[in-house]
Amino acid sequence: VIAQKTARENGPKIDLQILVYPVTDGRMDSATWKDETRQLFLTSELMEHFWRHYADDEQLTDPEASPLLADDLKDLDGLAPAVVLTAEMDILRDEGAAYAKKLEEAGIPVTYKDFKRQIHGFVGLAEALPVGFEALDWVSTRIDAHLNSVDHFDAVIVGAGFSGMYQLHRLREMGLNVRVFEAGTDVGGTWYWNRYPGARVDIESVAYSYSFSKELEQDWVWSEKHATQPELLEYANHVADRFDLRKDIQFESKVASAHFDDDMNEWLVTLENGDAVRARYLIMASGVLSASKKPDIAGYDNFKGETYNTGQWPHDPVDFSGKKVAVIGTGSSGIQTIPLVAEQAEELVVFQRTANFSTPALNRTLSNSEIDAVKKNYPEYRTECRKSRLGAISPEPQLDRAMEATAEERESRFNTGWETGLLPSFFFAFGDILTDEKANEAAQEFIRDRIRGIVEDEQTREDLLPNTHPYGTKRPCLDTNYYETFNRENVSLVNLRRTPIDTITEKGIKTSDTEREFDAIIFATGFDAMTGPLLRVDIRGSKGQRLIDAWVDGPQSYLGIGVSGFPNMFTINGPSSPSVLSNMMVSIEQHVDWIADCIGWMNNNDKTRIEPDRSAELQWTEHTAQMADMTLYPQAESWYVGANVPGKPRTFLAYVGGVGVYREICDQIADGGYYGFEAS
Ligand code: N01
């Protein structure tokens, strides 16, 4: 009534009218009004009682009481666009629907939705009837769409690491209009954030690189067997320049939320600064080890000295000369950084909760002839990597059983593993290292023996021996002089299993036996892996369903690429894909290509909405878990199962079947018309 009146009398401009099960017709005679089955919560009798308070007989049909009965809507300049919501089981349903239709016929933009099987008042009862949240979300999305005249894209990609960069390139080549949002100031993802001293890739550089461009592959020269973080970042920058990627990447733009709009089959993506865009596809290229975990240590904020987190290292060099430094955490990050910090600091104390398995990286510069040989053979090399289990082909996996070999044979193979300096060399020494406890124990004992042979101090040596989990079930590490570092005068180890941390204090760290003072503390305490980067964005799918609710018992995903109820969303290296168990570059390229092909297929077939069907998703999730249960992986308290984040549901987060097998499955699904997905 007010919207009509201000338009009629040239009053204040109303921008948008939001009518929630509106009362529009004082005649009280619509079909729903009279329907016996709709007398729920609001009855006709009660509604008539309200009407009678408001209007006498004559006024009931006055358009200033019953806006449906106005006959001049077509002539009203400036009548506000409307959002109209009704509930199917409401006596007011028909008059709300009739008014929406009438406005529309008068040329007023109207968005109308009838919420099926709902009763009058359901929006206000959202706590009891969660569909109310869906309705609120629907209304707020309409308001957002109205207030923000937002840009539209074919796809939004979250993250400009190696996956986001290549996805942008692929989709742009297909002629799509794409926007990438990146929280950092430049490209590189993992290699942009993890700038701690000693950071390197522990897959061979020649394998950990893009294969999509033959020219790039031939032009780029890796200097070392395991490239350093600066070299990897330089590579990312080179790729961004070479393919002119930055023009479609918006930096310093952290995505806060992504809400799916069922009516438009689009995502509304909102940044932390409130800016928003809409896109048909949402591609989460947000990384798997990118959500740093705030350490669950008492007094974390007390310390007055310098603090560093390996996952968010400063861009300017940090100088530890003359300083007393603590490192908490002995995963890959801690183990890589400890030897370098030790060389600089006056004193270094390492706080270790779990001793980890680490073997020497044996890093070295690559010779020209080695590089030439790989480049000559790159197409075959890449094909082999794609077909392999881990996405890297050296060393060659052996398939026989460890305990059927002689002790000498085991010793010899493990020795070769130790001397190749390649991450999978122990997994691949025999076919059953990750499935047979005895085989694994043999590998463990070999490594423990080597550690015993390196570390001089008796107590430190004992404390460094890993004995809480099978080899490989926590991500094993490759190091350069890690164990040797504990022979230095200025380095000591605190075993937190014997003397746990009580609290961090203003000056240092207090363990159960003593307090130590430091100038700097380095937290190498890990990440909320795999699901963290997805759940830190407020993602809401169809009908307002939140991803965080859908995954309350652990992630469920079809192929680690799509999630049922979250249409048009793709996750690169998502949970239940090989991702962290593989050479990430191989897995990234495979997902990016698959997603690009899928979007191409959608466009060619005039489809605008795709999502996994629930049964396919459940089957895949179960299959992933069953595969993991055939291995020793679930035995460790690792980030692979979410054990490092208090309260995180325990599920094994990756697909153990290997990248070759996985690729075949994904290809067959695509070839079969995206079997297990519903596209419309
Ligand atoms: O993290 P982590 P990361 N009090 O979770 C300890 C990849 N990566 O950053 O084992 C005391 O492995 C925790 O102890 P515990 C790679 O996939 C790759 O090192 O939980 N200690 C553990 O020792 C890797 O696996 C590369 O008992 C606490 C450490 O912190 C993944 O990233 C390089 C603690 C965390 O280890 C993560 O590695 C670096 C607490 N409250 C990383 N909380 C390369 O490619 C945690 N810890 C080479």
Side-chain angles (χ1 to χ4, degrees):
V1 168
I2 291 170
Q4 285 186 16
K5 208 166 154 69
T6 58
R8 213 171 272 129
E9 295 174 11
N10 212 10
K13 182 179 179 308
I14 290 185
D15 201 48
L16 179 70
Q17 38 176 337
I18 299 158
L19 310 176
V20 178
Y21 17 81
V23 178
T24 68
D25 184 359
R27 291 173 301 183
M28 297 181 262
D29 62 356
S30 72
T32 52
W33 181 279
K34 290 187 268 184
D35 183 352
E36 284 297 311
T37 65
R38 285 183 161 82
Q39 308 298 321
L40 301 157
F41 197 65
L42 178 69
T43 62
S44 308
E45 192 186 352
L46 180 60
M47 189 63 222
E48 181 166 0
H49 168 79
F50 293 145
W51 264 120
R52 297 287 172 194
H53 268 277
Y54 175 62
D56 59 28
D57 278 348
E58 215 168 284
Q59 289 167 334
L60 284 175
T61 52
D62 186 327
E64 293 206 355
S66 294
L68 181 68
L69 305 181
D71 53 14
D72 61 346
L73 295 193
K74 281 199 177 72
D75 311 324
L76 284 186
D77 262 357
L79 182 54
V83 174
V84 185
L85 174 164
T86 56
E88 187 189 22
M89 299 311 292
D90 184 0
I91 55 164
L92 301 176
R93 202 280 298 273
D94 278 0
E95 61 192 84
Y99 191 51
K101 191 158 173 245
K102 180 155 185 154
L103 288 169
E104 201 166 6
E105 283 168 0
I108 310 298
V110 178
T111 321
Y112 169 61
K113 183 157 182 166
D114 183 40
F115 281 78
K116 299 296 172 205
R117 298 188 301 281
Q118 299 310 312
I119 60 168
H120 184 86
F122 80 100
V123 178
L125 300 173
E127 295 292 342
L129 299 171
V131 66
F133 288 123
E134 187 193 319
L136 289 169
D137 210 44
W138 181 78
V139 172
S140 52
T141 308
R142 305 273 86 67
I143 297 174
D144 280 348
H146 179 76
L147 294 181
N148 311 312
S149 51
V150 297
D151 289 335
H152 273 73
F153 294 94
D154 295 315
V156 156
I157 298 170
V158 182
F162 282 136
S163 51
M165 290 167 69
Y166 178 41
Q167 188 74 73
L168 168 63
H169 177 65
R170 266 306 306 266
L171 296 183
R172 229 171 44 181
E173 276 196 324
M174 290 162 58
L176 302 192
N177 181 19
V178 185
R179 169 63 52 87
V180 180
F181 291 119
E182 164 57 51
T185 58
D186 211 335
V187 296
T190 286
W191 305 107
Y192 171 92
W193 296 105
N194 289 268
R195 297 166 186 248
Y196 59 86
R200 291 178 186 275
V201 62
D202 50 16
I203 299 282
E204 286 176 285
S205 320
V206 291
Y208 187 87
S209 56
Y210 287 125
S211 71
F212 69 84
S213 159
K214 303 300 158 227
E215 296 75 26
L216 167 66
E217 192 172 70
Q218 290 299 325
D219 289 353
W220 183 263
V221 182
W222 291 108
S223 64
E224 293 180 63
K225 176 169 162 252
H226 299 289
T228 59
Q229 174 273 332
E231 189 171 6
L232 287 153
L233 193 56
E234 202 184 318
Y235 178 68
N237 277 287
H238 171 81
V239 173
D241 292 341
R242 187 173 186 125
F243 298 99
D244 196 13
L245 298 180
R246 286 192 186 81
K247 69 176 182 217
D248 292 309
I249 305 176
Q250 191 175 314
F251 294 105
E252 296 181 81
S253 298
K254 195 162 186 183
V255 172
S257 69
H259 294 185
F260 188 69
D261 180 339
D262 282 291
D263 297 300
M264 308 298 289
N265 286 338
E266 283 178 352
W267 286 90
L268 175 69
V269 179
T270 308
L271 304 181
E272 277 190 346
N273 69 4
D275 289 352
V277 300
R278 297 175 76 86
R280 163 91 352 114
Y281 297 104
L282 171 70
I283 302 173
M284 297 302 291
S286 41
V288 291
L289 291 158
S290 51
S292 268
K293 180 176 86 100
K294 189 176 173 191
D296 43 335
I297 302 177
Y300 175 72
D301 296 320
N302 290 345
F303 187 59
K304 295 270 189 281
E306 303 160 30
T307 54
Y308 301 95
N309 184 321
T310 47
Q312 287 169 335
W313 200 261
H315 288 206
D316 296 325
V318 181
D319 186 2
F320 292 111
S321 308
K323 293 189 175 154
K324 291 187 176 169
V325 182
V327 173
I328 304 179
T330 52
S332 298
S333 305
I335 282 178
Q336 284 189 330
T337 209
I338 284 163
L340 286 155
V341 176
E343 281 174 17
Q344 225 180 40
E346 180 186 308
E347 188 192 340
L348 171 66
V349 182
V350 176
F351 291 80
Q352 170 195 277
R353 190 164 67 182
T354 306
N356 221 329
F357 290 98
S358 187
T359 55
L362 303 178
N363 191 40
R364 55 184 168 74
T365 50
L366 290 172
S367 68
N368 289 342
S369 60
E370 269 177 298
I371 293 172
D372 287 348
V374 173
K375 285 190 177 175
K376 236 190 226 160
N377 198 27
Y378 244 145
E380 294 77 22
Y381 181 82
R382 300 292 197 186
T383 306
E384 288 306 310
C385 285
R386 289 186 199 116
K387 288 199 294 196
S388 70
R389 199 165 106 203
L390 294 187
I393 52 173
S394 35
E396 197 183 333
Q398 304 299 316
L399 298 178
D400 51 337
R401 302 179 68 96
M403 301 320 287
E404 285 172 5
T406 61
E408 293 71 37
E409 179 62 16
R410 282 196 295 276
E411 178 75 12
S412 151
R413 294 229 202 138
F414 291 149
N415 200 37
T416 309
W418 184 268
E419 284 172 1
T420 54
L422 293 169
L423 195 63
S425 52
F426 279 83
F427 299 143
F428 285 176
F430 291 95
D432 56 357
I433 297 292
L434 282 170
T435 51
D436 182 89
E437 288 189 15
K438 288 208 171 80
N440 193 290
E441 174 60 32
Q444 291 178 42
E445 196 44 32
F446 177 92
I447 297 172
R448 282 193 288 264
D449 246 357
R450 290 301 169 114
I451 299 170
R452 288 186 190 104
I454 300 172
V455 182
E456 290 157 9
D457 177 72
E458 194 182 336
Q459 185 63 58
T460 309
R461 185 164 62 224
E462 275 307 300
D463 288 340
L464 282 169
L465 295 181
N467 49 28
T468 56
H469 56 281
Y471 173 78
T473 57
K474 266 176 176 273
R475 166 73 148 68
C477 309
L478 279 191
D479 71 87
T480 304
N481 296 332
Y482 176 63
Y483 295 111
E484 291 80 352
T485 295
F486 291 91
N487 295 335
R488 295 176 66 105
E489 288 286 308
N490 65 335
V491 177
S492 57
L493 182 73
V494 176
N495 181 347
L496 297 178
R497 297 206 175 220
R498 279 193 286 112
T499 53
I501 296 178
D502 274 352
T503 182
I504 293 183
T505 63
E506 281 191 14
K507 294 190 170 166
I509 299 173
K510 187 169 176 308
T511 47
S512 58
D513 58 339
T514 184
E515 180 170 351
R516 297 172 180 82
E517 293 188 0
F518 296 103
D519 301 306
I521 302 178
I522 299 172
F523 292 93
T525 41
F527 300 88
D528 182 354
M530 308 282 291
T531 52
L534 299 171
L535 297 180
R536 286 185 186 185
V537 177
D538 172 17
I539 297 179
R540 300 186 194 193
S542 178
K543 300 182 181 158
Q545 187 191 15
R546 300 189 314 161
L547 188 63
I548 204 164
D549 293 333
W551 284 5
V552 70
D553 295 323
Q556 306 199 333
S557 159
Y558 186 38
L559 303 175
I561 295 181
V563 182
S564 169
F566 295 80
N568 298 357
M569 177 178 88
F570 298 105
T571 52
I572 300 182
N573 280 326
S576 79
S577 73
S579 78
V580 289
L581 297 182
S582 68
N583 172 358
M584 292 298 261
M585 281 301 223
V586 171
S587 289
I588 284 171
E589 286 197 326
Q590 187 244 333
H591 268 190
V592 166
D593 289 336
W594 193 97
I595 292 165
D597 291 347
C598 178
I599 292 176
W601 177 84
M602 294 284 291
N603 291 346
N604 291 338
N605 289 282
D606 286 333
K607 294 186 188 294
T608 56
R609 177 176 171 129
I610 185 165
E611 65 178 299
D613 78 40
R614 181 71 178 133
S615 59
E617 178 178 88
L618 283 174
Q619 275 174 28
W620 182 258
T621 305
E622 201 179 305
H623 169 63
T624 304
Q626 279 170 352
M627 296 283 282
D629 285 342
M630 286 161 57
T631 71
L632 304 176
Y633 277 118
Q635 291 190 11
E637 298 284 296
S638 68
W639 60 256
Y640 288 145
V641 296
N644 66 329
V645 177
K648 189 165 172 168
R650 291 289 176 95
T651 34
F652 193 76
L653 293 166
Y655 181 70
V656 302
V659 299
V661 172
Y662 173 80
R663 175 185 295 267
E664 270 185 39
I665 295 171
C666 291
D667 287 351
Q668 281 175 14
I669 284 169
D671 293 345
Y674 295 91
Y675 173 80
F677 285 87
E678 285 166 14
S680 55

